[in-house]
């Protein structure tokens, strides 16, 4: 009976960090070798899922005229609602560029080549872009920007303007910090054994990055086109070139945060001395 109880407990407990590292590595191999059509299709879904989370965030951050909400609590609420995006990605199944930065663990272990990881990142990034922009177009056609007597549209423009106004150093730094938390959320999910575990694993890191104002490249694939399109008919339009610049800088920061500060750090701790590491990094 004690043995049965021990087995039951082991099936309910989260995976240990060393086990998570091995699981992330194996999942990375699967992701890197996935057929292109499957990879791209799942990436389109992920872009749409994150865009839906971003839309939910936008609605939450929109307040009625004359309504004062405490700054911290308002940001907290926005972070909780944005978490919808990664919940859909992880539980529903989709390919997200920022989370896929963890494939670097499989690369450092010599299990996938540089060409394979670039192939995955490239197709997934394009798929995320297509999904996010497509969702933005649907939101536009649905007239969501007109909700709240147009205040939702004003919030959309304000969000995009605040992102574009960031200086390059701040933009990259916020991108780094964002994907540290996103990849840690995915890492924690790899330690979960149930859907409920995964949702709770996602909630706090994602709420934290959103509340702190960090920058997520795939979310910006939705926020920026919406803001630029809506501001086009105003006296203070937003520059598409500036939006592309923001996206490029955030992407650089996201890659560094996810690959170096999460994937390669955990690889060094748990997988560097593994007997399966061949001593050379795949190239």
């Amino acid at each position: 009976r004690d043995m049965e109880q021990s087995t039951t407990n082991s099936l309910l407990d989260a995976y240990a960090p060393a086990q998570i590292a091995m699981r992330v590595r194996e999942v990375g191999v699967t992701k890197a070798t996935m057929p292109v059509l499957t990879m791209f299709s799942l990436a389109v879904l992920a872009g749409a899922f994150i865009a839906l989370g971003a839309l939910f965030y936008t609605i939450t951050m929109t307040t009625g005229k004359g309504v004062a909400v405490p700054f911290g609590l308002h940001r907290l609420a926005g972070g909780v609602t944005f978490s919808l995006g990664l919940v859909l990605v992880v539980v529903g199944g989709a390919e997200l560029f920022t989370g896929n930065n963890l494939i670097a663990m499989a690369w450092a272990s010599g299990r996938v080549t540089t060409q394979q990881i670039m192939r995955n990142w490239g197709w997934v990034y394009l798929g995320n872009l297509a999904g996010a922009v497509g969702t933005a177009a649907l939101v536009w056609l649905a007239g969501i920007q007109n909700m709240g007597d147009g205040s939702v549209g004003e919030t959309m423009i304000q969000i995009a303007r605040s992102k574009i106004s960031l200086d390059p150093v701040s933009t990259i730094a916020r991108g780094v910090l964002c994907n540290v938390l996103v990849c840690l959320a995915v890492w924690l999910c790899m330690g979960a054994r149930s859907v409920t575990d995964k949702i709770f694993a996602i909630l706090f890191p994602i709420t934290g990055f959103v509340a702190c104002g960090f920058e997520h490249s795939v979310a910006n694939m939705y926020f920026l086109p919406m803001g630029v399109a809506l501001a086009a008919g105003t006296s203070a339009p937003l520059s598409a070139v500036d939006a592309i610049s923001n996206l490029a800088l955030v992407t650089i920061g996201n890659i560094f945060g996810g690959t170096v500060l999460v994937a390669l750090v955990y690889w060094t701790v748990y997988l560097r001395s593994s007997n399966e590491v061949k001593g050379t990094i795949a190239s």
Side-chain angles (χ1 to χ4, degrees):
R1 183 175 296 177
D2 290 342
M3 185 176 295
E4 291 178 357
Q5 185 64 44
S6 178
T7 301
T8 300
N9 289 340
S10 68
L11 293 175
L12 294 176
D13 290 342
Y15 290 97
Q19 293 174 303
I20 295 174
M22 289 186 285
R23 297 189 75 210
V24 170
R25 180 187 61 194
E26 296 309 311
V27 169
V29 174
T30 300
K31 288 177 177 289
T33 57
M34 188 181 296
V36 170
L37 180 58
T38 303
M39 185 188 303
F40 184 79
S41 299
L42 290 173
V44 172
L45 287 178
F49 292 161
I50 295 299
L52 290 173
L55 174 60
F56 196 7
Y57 164 84
T58 302
I59 299 296
T60 304
M61 296 303 291
T62 302
T63 58
K65 293 179 172 59
V67 177
V69 181
F71 175 79
L73 291 179
H74 202 190
R75 302 291 301 183
L76 174 64
V80 171
T81 53
F82 183 86
S83 299
L84 167 68
L86 194 60
V87 169
L88 292 174
V89 168
V90 171
V91 179
E95 291 291 299
L96 182 65
F97 171 76
T98 47
N100 280 12
N101 287 169
L102 288 173
I103 298 175
M105 293 189 75
W107 173 80
S109 295
R111 300 290 295 278
V112 301
T113 65
T114 301
Q115 182 179 3
Q116 286 175 316
I117 200 171
M118 290 297 106
R119 169 179 171 271
N120 177 274
W121 286 358
W123 282 112
V124 170
Y125 193 87
L126 290 175
N128 289 169
L129 180 62
V133 172
T135 303
L138 286 173
V139 170
W140 174 284
L141 292 173
I144 304 301
Q145 66 274 12
N146 298 321
M147 291 176 62
D149 294 328
S151 58
V152 170
E154 293 173 6
T155 301
M156 291 173 173
I157 295 173
Q158 181 181 356
I159 290 171
R161 194 180 303 280
S162 67
K163 291 178 179 297
I164 290 174
S165 66
L166 291 172
D167 65 88
V169 174
S170 295
T171 302
I172 293 175
R174 292 189 187 205
V176 171
L177 291 166
C178 167
N179 214 28
V180 166
L181 286 173
V182 171
C183 284
L184 284 174
V186 175
W187 176 273
L188 293 177
C189 284
M190 294 300 291
R193 293 184 184 268
S194 71
V195 170
T196 302
D197 294 343
K198 291 178 180 180
I199 292 173
F200 276 106
I202 289 167
L203 186 61
F204 288 99
I206 301 306
T207 297
F209 106 65
V210 175
C212 293
F214 300 154
E215 293 287 304
H216 189 267
S217 56
V218 181
N220 285 9
M221 293 175 185
Y222 165 82
F223 283 129
L224 295 174
M226 281 300 302
V228 170
L230 287 170
T234 69
S235 59
L238 298 175
S239 167
V241 173
D242 289 342
I244 293 171
S245 175
N246 171 275
L247 184 58
L249 293 172
V250 170
T251 300
I252 291 170
N254 286 170
I255 291 173
F256 184 85
T259 58
V260 178
L261 299 185
V262 180
L264 296 183
V265 168
Y266 274 130
W267 175 84
T268 301
V269 174
Y270 293 114
L271 300 178
R272 176 176 52 86
S273 301
S274 171
N275 291 333
E276 295 182 31
V277 178
K278 300 177 182 178
T280 57
I281 294 178
S283 61

